[in-house]
Amino acid sequence: MGVSLMLLPAGVLWGALYWGLGERGTALLPWTYAVASVLSLAAFARTHSFRFLRAAELALILVMPALGVLALGGLAPSSGVILWSLLAPLGAVVFDSPRRAWFWFGAFIGLLVVCVPLARVVRPDAADLPEGAVLAFATLNIAGVSLVAFTLLVTFARQREAAQLRVENLLANILPGEIAERLQIEPQAIADHFDEASILFADVVDFTPMSSRLDAREVVGILDRLFTSFDAVADRHGVEKIKTIDDCYMVAAGVPRPRPDHAHALVRVAFEMRECAKSCLPGNGQGDLRLRIGISSGPVVAGVIGKRRFLYDLWGDTVNMASRMESHGVPDTIQVTRSTWELVRDDFATESRGLVEVKGKGKVETWHLVGPKGAEFEVVDSPQRA
């Protein structure tokens, strides 16, 4: 609509100039264009059919200048007015599709080939305009077409930037920023090995029976508010949310950016998530949720595989152990493996749970995190073996 409104004054001005020079038949062409353009805009305002507006405006700017060549008797007498027809394929590139833009460009070339020789037949006595007027019209035509063409290119560039920004924002919501940038540069599979990282799994206790009593929208609403709160916690502590699986939330520290305090960061996240679950869903009868949280530390493989619906994922024994710490944990507690305990025991109070039978691993030493170390906490360093 903006480009169409830009062209309307040119149509009115060109008609007035030709009328003043005595070419009254020719003057009717740009005025007809202006009236038809206003009608197409009015129809668009009423029907909201962008396809109709696009076709009408492109057809008008393609045909009317070509008729001007015929009316004035040639390319030179018309001061190259057919240049305005070039805006049809340029407009199609911006507002339609490149494939269909070729049709409009072919139509422009066809009109150029037909109208230039045909003008001598339609009007053998070409318009006898003053040389100064012909040069002035040629200057106006070049300047006007250049202005609109430049506007179309700027519009196209802005559309491309907006589309790129949408893609980048979408990738940023799916993948860590560094991985999103690498994926755009290197579309092949991404795989990295990290010697030191920590993984956290958090699961809502008894969520399945609770969800069976609720409407589907209520279930989605609870998880949405809960996980949105967890996302804010993860962002605040600079750790990476990896994915959600049903009512399970997975987050990692030390990937894709290595950090020496990966275990400490996830422990702080775990305490905050546990408190958040008790308070972040007020007023719906489900405000006091309890979590099972498991953390393990060690080497992991991280990357993106596949070409469709991809995500940044982690693999390795550390990931499996973190998942087992959650599934074999006690409600409302944070259970960690020895690898994590050794990293945080100087700063956080812990309680040994002893040896826990873990599926696929046998008996494993585990600890419960109590809180930041202080006078009110007693640290139990020696596991009580069963």
Side-chain angles (χ1 to χ4, degrees):
M1 290 179 64
V3 173
S4 299
L5 292 173
M6 282 182 63
L7 295 174
L8 285 178
V12 175
L13 175 62
W14 262 241
L17 292 174
Y18 279 121
W19 186 275
L21 291 170
E23 290 290 335
R24 298 187 174 184
T26 304
L28 295 178
L29 293 174
W31 285 346
T32 300
Y33 165 81
V35 171
S37 182
V38 169
L39 291 176
S40 70
L41 290 170
F44 173 71
R46 183 179 181 85
T47 64
H48 301 290
S49 174
F50 177 70
R51 180 178 296 180
F52 166 78
L53 175 67
R54 182 178 61 200
E57 292 293 338
L58 293 180
L60 284 172
I61 198 61
L62 177 72
V63 173
M64 287 301 179
L67 294 179
V69 174
L70 297 177
L72 291 168
L75 192 61
S78 67
S79 304
V81 72
I82 200 169
L83 278 174
W84 288 93
S85 297
L86 182 60
L87 296 179
L90 291 179
V93 170
V94 177
F95 301 117
D96 199 348
S97 70
R99 179 175 56 85
R100 283 192 287 270
W102 282 107
F103 163 79
W104 292 100
F105 184 74
F108 165 71
I109 296 298
L111 283 176
L112 186 63
V113 170
V114 170
C115 288
V116 172
L118 188 61
R120 295 182 178 274
V121 177
V122 174
R123 187 172 178 178
D125 52 336
D128 186 18
L129 298 175
E131 182 179 353
V134 173
L135 290 176
F137 273 117
T139 302
L140 289 173
N141 287 333
I142 294 172
V145 172
S146 299
L147 174 62
V148 178
F150 182 76
T151 302
L152 289 173
L153 289 175
V154 170
T155 302
F156 178 77
R158 288 179 176 174
Q159 289 177 343
R160 185 183 62 182
E161 288 178 357
Q164 182 66 23
L165 183 60
R166 287 194 296 270
V167 170
E168 291 175 357
N169 289 337
L170 180 61
L171 286 176
N173 285 328
I174 299 174
L175 304 170
E178 298 91 332
I179 301 301
E181 291 178 5
R182 286 175 57 186
L183 195 63
Q184 293 184 73
I185 299 172
E186 307 170 7
Q188 67 269 21
I190 294 175
D192 299 308
H193 182 272
F194 296 89
D195 292 326
E196 297 182 5
S198 292
I199 314 299
L200 179 152
F201 282 87
D203 185 79
V204 180
V205 177
D206 295 328
F207 186 80
T208 300
M210 181 182 70
S211 62
S212 65
R213 302 190 300 268
L214 301 175
D215 178 79
R217 285 175 293 184
E218 291 180 295
V219 173
V220 173
I222 290 173
L223 289 178
D224 178 61
R225 291 191 294 274
L226 180 65
F227 288 166
T228 298
S229 300
F230 288 174
D231 290 346
V233 173
D235 290 342
R236 191 157 51 247
H237 290 276
V239 298
E240 283 295 337
K241 172 187 176 181
I242 302 302
K243 60 184 174 182
T244 60
I245 310 168
D246 295 330
D247 59 317
C248 184
Y249 189 95
M250 179 183 177
V251 63
V255 295
R257 296 171 299 278
R259 55 186 296 179
D261 65 335
H262 53 87
H264 289 74
L266 273 197
V267 168
R268 289 190 290 269
V269 167
F271 282 119
E272 197 165 335
M273 288 173 63
R274 187 175 66 177
E275 295 307 310
C276 177
K278 298 177 182 179
S279 60
C280 65
L281 301 175
N284 63 354
Q286 309 294 339
D288 188 13
L289 298 178
R290 297 187 302 161
L291 301 178
R292 279 192 307 268
I293 300 177
I295 304 176
S296 185
S297 303
V300 298
V301 174
V304 179
I305 58 175
K307 297 297 183 184
R308 299 178 63 239
R309 298 179 184 176
F310 45 74
L311 57 82
Y312 186 68
D313 210 348
L314 306 177
W315 300 271
D317 189 61
T318 302
V319 178
N320 296 334
M321 286 302 297
S323 177
R324 295 289 188 269
M325 288 300 97
E326 176 273 310
S327 60
H328 291 75
V330 178
D332 210 26
T333 63
I334 302 168
Q335 184 166 247
V336 302
T337 59
R338 170 173 281 278
S339 58
T340 302
W341 172 75
E342 289 178 343
L343 292 172
V344 303
R345 63 180 178 176
D346 292 335
D347 300 298
F348 292 91
T350 62
E351 292 178 349
S352 173
R353 193 184 175 193
L355 296 176
V356 175
E357 186 70 30
V358 174
K359 181 180 178 182
K361 292 293 181 180
K363 293 183 177 180
V364 176
E365 292 177 334
T366 65
W367 285 260
H368 287 167
L369 296 177
V370 177
K373 186 179 286 189
E376 69 276 22
F377 297 119
E378 178 183 356
V379 180
V380 183
D381 287 330
S382 300
Q384 299 173 356
R385 299 182 180 277

